[in-house]
Amino acid sequence: MAYVDGFVLPLPTSSIEAYRAQAQLAGAVWREHGALEYREWIADDVPSGEHTSFPRSVQLEEGETVILAWAVYESRAHRDAVNEKVMNDPRLAAMMQPGGVPFDVKRMFFGGFESFVAL
């Protein structure tokens, strides 16, 4: 069964193009190291809910938007193997440093998910 890593993060709208360049590089590295799919999406219709919502989840501030991203793998073991290679890839070293990405990493959240329903 497929396995997915999902990510949600706040992105300053002034940094969309800088982030896009980083995401394209990161996606290429993930795919090169074995991820089956890598996608990033920018918020289009994500109203702030009264109790929960994408904007609330990342404590969205004025001048920011929400990014939803995922990478697909064959299994959790496959994900772990791919991510080990990705984390050691020198092309991403600058992004791994403090301030290496144009968003507040403290407000980003992520996790791995097993396939539950597939139609």
Side-chain angles (χ1 to χ4, degrees), residues 13-29:
T13 56
S14 62
S15 299
I16 288 173
E17 291 310 314
Y19 181 78
R20 183 191 315 265
Q22 285 187 337
Q24 288 173 327
L25 172 60
V29 170

Side-chain angles (χ1 to χ4, degrees), residues 66-116:
V66 178
I67 297 290
L68 167 67
W70 67 72
V72 180
Y73 310 92
E74 296 168 4
S75 64
R76 182 172 178 178
H78 179 237
R79 184 277 308 257
D80 292 346
V82 168
N83 280 349
E84 183 176 350
K85 293 174 190 172
V86 167
M87 293 303 138
N88 291 310
D89 192 300
R91 293 172 290 180
L92 301 184
M95 284 186 237
M96 304 296 179
Q97 300 303 313
V101 291
F103 61 88
D104 183 353
V105 296
K106 293 177 186 170
R107 292 187 286 139
M108 171 182 160
F109 65 95
F110 54 90
F113 297 82
E114 290 182 1
S115 182
F116 183 61

Side-chain angles (χ1 to χ4, degrees), residues 23-35:
Q24 288 173 327
L25 172 60
V29 170
W30 253 273
R31 291 296 309 269
E32 182 180 315
H33 289 301

